Amino acid sequence: MKLINSIGLLALVWGVLGQLIGLVTAFDRLEMLGEVSIEVLARGLKISALPTIFGFFTFSISRAITIIFLWIQKEH
């Protein structure tokens, strides 16, 4: 169970790190382009949120598995 929890937490942290790297890259490109439309900015922000979403999803699944395992152990 510790391994499942560690993997879930690693996925969450890795997702946040991916988002931060994506945001820094996007802002660097926006800085180079100068004036940018709202649509381009929104698209970049949406793409930068994907790693965090996947990290939260993996973390939630690992937590649910841990809860199920603990519940099964309590019943035995």
Side-chain angles (χ1 to χ4, degrees):
M1 280 196 295
K2 287 183 181 182
L3 179 62
I4 293 171
N5 287 334
S6 295
I7 290 171
L9 188 58
L10 177 65
L12 178 63
V13 171
W14 197 256
V16 172
L17 178 64
Q19 181 176 20
L20 292 175
I21 290 170
L23 284 173
V24 168
T25 303
F27 288 141
D28 282 345
R29 290 186 183 171
L30 289 173
E31 188 177 31
M32 286 182 351
L33 292 174
E35 203 169 305
V36 177
S37 70
I38 295 294
E39 291 83 14
V40 171
L41 180 61
R43 188 178 317 126
L45 291 174
K46 180 177 68 173
I47 290 172
S48 77
L50 290 176
T52 304
I53 291 170
F54 291 129
F56 275 118
F57 181 71
T58 305
F59 180 74
S60 298
I61 290 174
S62 72
R63 284 309 208 190
I65 291 171
T66 301
I67 290 169
I68 290 169
F69 282 156
L70 287 173
W71 182 62
I72 290 172
Q73 279 183 346
K74 272 190 171 182
E75 294 214 348
H76 286 77

